[in-house]
Amino acid sequence: MRITSETVEHTAALAKLKLTHEELAQAAEQLEDILNCMDVLAGVTCDTQQQAQMRKNVLREDVCRPGLERSQLLVGAPATDGTYFLVPKTVE
Amino acid sequence: MNEILNMTALELSAGIKKGEVSCQEAAQAALNVIRTRQDQLNTFITVTGRQALERAAALDRRKGSGPLFGVPGAVKDNLCTQGLRTTCASLMLERYVPPYNAGVIDLLDEAGTVLLGKLNMDEFAMGSTSETSCFGPVKNPWDLSRVPGGSSGGAAAAVAAGEVWFALGSDTGGSVRQPAAWCGVTGIKPTYGTVSRYGLVAYASSFDQVGAICRDAADCAAVLDAIQNHDPRDSTGLPGEYGGLLAGLNGDIRGMRIGMPAQLFGDELDPQVRHRVLDAARVLRDRGAQVEECCLPAADYALAAYYVIACAEASSNLARYDGVHYGKRCAGDVGLEELYLRSRSEGFGSEVKRRILLGTFVLSEGHYDAYYAKALAARDMVRKSFEELFSQYDLLLAPVTPSVAPKLGQSLEHPARMYQTDSYTVCANLTGLPAMSIPCGQSEGGMPVGVQLIGPAFGEQTLLNAAHAVQRETHWHKLRPPCFGTGGEGT
């Protein structure tokens, strides 16, 4: 499969990554190389509907349990006001 | 000093309980080796010298039982340790100090072990050589110009060099077994769900499994006895009866049926590796096992399916690193979108970005069916093939890797080629089956070669018995590299 710099740029935007022009070109080449190795999967027969039916989540009941304190969770945050995570203003 | 270092974990603990050596002496001996070897090998990211000696002193006062009591070990730096930084070898988490312990850390503590520190690894466990760490590459104790394997390269190299008696790693596509093979030590990946993933930083959640790297199979049994349990905090944990592996270790393999899948002995396999692996098969046969070639056609899809699914899960798991909740935030006064973009781009290294991009691509509109859905179907095929094989065989035997450890710097330029080194190990991750790597010889250049044993689900006892049987008859697991301990020099 042919992977262009534009394809990588679009994918990087989805993944919230910013790549330089050089990185885009290199990533295009490497991803194409890697995806060529994945071509073997084209030979696999796949029924997505059947697949969806076969898989199901196995979930336990929701149960309230004590967790970590707010102060413990905030300690690793790059910016907080002691109560909340701080982020740049998003609404003027 | 090398006498203590040369012991297995079980021998050391027995010596401690008899009063022949103290916990403090053992911890100090190991710390001396780490201090001597760190610049050469770069196995550790964080060494807990003072805390380790305090812990050892407390254990000396307390006395205790248990097969690992007093034994110093270390863990891969993707296992969370309360109050002790856990970096995943990434700039993203360079200063991250978790507020809680991983489940296995508490269990090692209960077993009376001494934590010497956090081990170097590939960034976020993504890599096969331990060269993608932001703290620099780990070196192979057998040849400092070669990689130790990855991603648990620090763990395997530290055990091989005599810096610790055991280590915990994680195995997503072979990351315990492959470095164990390349460093000449014994590694085991247990059945998926039998060791808690709580506090293991996620890479690919449906594959990630904590495993042990030790000097021999008996030590692996003791470590698994300590860490296997059902932890309700891990939603994929499996309830069951755990423990008793060490007590059940008898090396009796008479009548055991062992298959060697032809697809895992392909043309790419180095003839030297092939011969050493077949030597191990001969040892098993001589001890009473029936060993024969078998067929695993679905193995042809395994590597592609593994990388598609692993990268897809990685792209989702690593979305949590946003520069807001924890981890790196870019400098400067920027808007929210730019903050996300720059924090992630500055925090992740190139291999991690590559896998996030690949994962995002295979999950994106227009490509999902061609890659992700097909990979899930291939995974089902591989699983079914293994189920069929285990109706005929008790164990499967294969190489761990196609070749011995490559030179530093050879793999990173060609990611697709690096991924090929995982061809023989990923099957056990796709299926969740237990598998181990044990030393089975050396190349002409003196580099270790490993043989892989794969068992049915919950087949750890069978695996360990086969490994124990080989290790009773061979000396490969007792060989030490030139820079072992504090004596001699590496090449």
Side-chain angles (χ1 to χ4, degrees):
Chain A
M1 173 161 198
R2 180 98 181 92
I3 301 291
T4 63
S5 291
E6 289 71 32
T7 313
V8 178
E9 196 169 15
H10 172 66
T11 310
L14 293 173
K16 294 277 185 274
L17 288 172
K18 195 175 195 175
L19 304 183
T20 63
H21 284 299
E22 279 173 14
E23 286 175 325
L24 283 172
Q26 191 189 33
E29 196 180 313
Q30 289 175 334
L31 288 186
E32 187 171 309
D33 209 17
I34 295 165
L35 286 167
N36 284 340
C37 300
M38 314 285 180
D39 282 348
V40 65
L41 292 173
V44 176
T45 324
C46 169
D47 181 338
T48 42
Q49 275 188 332
Q50 190 192 10
Q51 217 174 53
Q53 283 165 5
M54 277 170 65
R55 292 176 210 290
K56 61 179 170 104
N57 277 325
V58 182
L59 300 173
R60 62 164 170 75
E61 291 296 310
D62 274 344
V63 184
C64 288
R65 290 198 185 94
L68 293 168
E69 295 293 328
R70 180 191 291 255
S71 58
Q72 291 176 291
L73 290 169
L74 286 175
V75 90
T80 84
D81 63 0
T83 307
Y84 298 106
F85 297 104
L86 292 184
V87 294
K89 190 183 269 186
T90 51
V91 181
E92 291 299 331
Chain B
M1 193 62 82
N2 268 13
E3 196 183 329
I4 300 177
L5 300 174
N6 214 16
M7 291 176 173
T8 65
L10 292 174
E11 289 166 350
L12 175 65
S13 187
I16 288 170
K17 277 170 278 196
K18 281 187 212 156
E20 293 166 356
V21 56
S22 70
C23 301
Q24 288 176 87
E25 283 167 338
Q28 189 60 64
L31 289 168
N32 290 346
V33 183
I34 295 167
R35 193 170 53 236
T36 308
R37 298 294 172 202
Q38 177 63 14
D39 286 349
Q40 277 179 319
L41 298 172
N42 199 25
T43 45
F44 277 80
I45 290 174
T46 304
V47 180
T48 55
R50 187 175 51 80
Q51 298 101 304
L53 290 172
E54 284 172 6
R55 160 86 171 153
L59 291 173
D60 278 332
R61 286 192 295 275
R62 185 174 101 192
K63 301 294 178 195
S65 56
L68 294 175
F69 180 79
V71 179
V75 300
K76 189 174 179 178
D77 206 18
N78 59 352
L79 286 163
C80 285
T81 41
Q82 187 175 0
L84 181 66
R85 73 172 177 158
T86 298
T87 68
C88 274
S90 177
L91 288 176
M92 181 61 82
L93 293 175
E94 195 182 7
R95 295 187 184 83
Y96 175 61
V97 178
Y100 67 102
N101 272 339
V104 291
I105 300 295
D106 287 335
L107 291 171
L108 285 183
D109 195 62
E110 285 170 25
T113 67
V114 177
L115 181 69
L116 292 183
K118 309 295 292 292
L119 295 159
N120 206 350
M121 54 184 281
D122 279 300
E123 183 182 4
F124 280 103
M126 297 182 192
S128 307
T129 62
S130 295
E131 292 174 290
T132 68
S133 165
C134 77
F135 297 96
V138 184
K139 314 280 177 59
N140 191 314
W142 289 89
D143 178 347
L144 300 177
S145 70
R146 292 178 187 270
V147 303
S151 61
S152 310
V159 173
E163 294 180 326
V164 289
W165 281 266
F166 75 92
L168 293 190
S170 63
D171 192 315
T172 302
S175 288
V176 159
R177 291 161 285 155
Q178 185 252 37
W182 282 353
C183 290
V185 290
T186 304
I188 185 162
K189 178 197 91 74
T191 308
Y192 182 82
T194 65
V195 177
S196 173
R197 287 188 300 110
Y198 178 75
L200 169 67
V201 179
Y203 159 21
S205 306
S206 74
F207 299 137
D208 294 340
Q209 184 64 79
V210 176
I213 296 180
C214 302
R215 301 265 164 83
D216 64 15
D219 281 2
C220 282
V223 175
L224 282 203
D225 278 343
I227 64 171
Q228 280 190 310
N229 78 342
H230 176 231
D231 182 350
R233 298 171 300 180
D234 172 359
S235 62
T236 54
L238 293 169
E241 293 290 318
Y242 295 111
L245 293 173
L246 183 59
L249 198 66
N250 56 24
D252 185 1
I253 56 165
R254 285 171 298 177
M256 193 180 277
R257 300 160 302 166
I258 301 176
M260 296 194 296
Q263 285 74 10
L264 302 186
F265 287 79
D267 293 340
E268 69 288 349
L269 180 60
D270 181 328
Q272 291 191 67
V273 176
R274 177 191 297 269
H275 288 136
R276 299 293 83 80
V277 170
L278 293 178
D279 288 344
R282 204 167 301 120
V283 172
L284 288 162
R285 198 178 281 127
D286 291 347
R287 297 270 306 186
Q290 299 163 28
V291 187
E292 63 183 30
E293 206 172 278
C294 62
C295 195
L296 182 62
D300 295 340
Y301 300 119
L303 190 69
Y306 167 76
Y307 269 100
V308 167
I309 298 169
C311 291
E313 292 184 13
S315 73
S316 171
N317 274 327
L318 272 64
R320 74 190 63 181
Y321 301 104
D322 56 3
V324 174
H325 298 93
Y326 56 98
K328 184 180 174 61
R329 173 181 281 197
C330 66
D333 187 15
V334 295
L336 188 63
E337 183 71 11
E338 189 68 8
L339 181 137
Y340 292 150
L341 287 167
R342 277 186 41 199
S343 298
R344 289 168 60 77
S345 303
E346 292 169 16
F348 292 136
S350 55
E351 181 60 31
V352 173
K353 286 180 192 165
R354 188 153 44 239
R355 294 193 194 200
I356 291 174
L357 286 172
L358 186 62
T360 307
F361 179 83
V362 299
L363 289 174
S364 62
E365 191 181 4
H367 305 293
Y368 179 98
D369 287 342
Y371 291 101
Y372 188 66
K374 293 266 189 184
L376 291 180
R379 183 181 194 172
D380 288 338
M381 287 169 67
V382 174
R383 194 178 280 147
K384 200 155 176 283
S385 293
F386 271 86
E387 274 170 20
E388 284 166 12
L389 277 181
F390 281 118
S391 67
Q392 300 165 54
Y393 299 103
D394 301 303
L395 279 187
L396 300 177
L397 181 148
V400 183
T401 56
S403 63
V404 296
K407 295 276 186 184
L408 287 155
Q410 270 185 350
S411 309
L412 290 185
E413 288 171 22
H414 305 286
R417 210 183 299 160
M418 178 172 77
Y419 299 169
Q420 302 287 336
T421 62
D422 301 335
S423 300
Y424 305 148
T425 49
V426 295
C427 285
N429 302 90
L430 285 166
T431 53
L433 298 175
M436 66 187 297
S437 165
I438 58 172
C440 64
Q442 291 187 335
S443 67
E444 284 169 10
M447 292 306 292
V449 176
V451 58
Q452 180 177 206
L453 300 168
I454 307 171
F458 305 106
E460 281 84 346
Q461 188 74 71
T462 313
L463 269 184
L464 288 161
N465 269 330
H468 191 53
V470 172
Q471 293 186 336
R472 275 182 170 175
E473 298 292 322
T474 61
H475 68 292
W476 302 114
H477 61 294
K478 293 183 176 168
L479 294 183
R480 304 289 180 245
C483 68
F484 182 81
T486 50
E489 284 305 311
T491 48

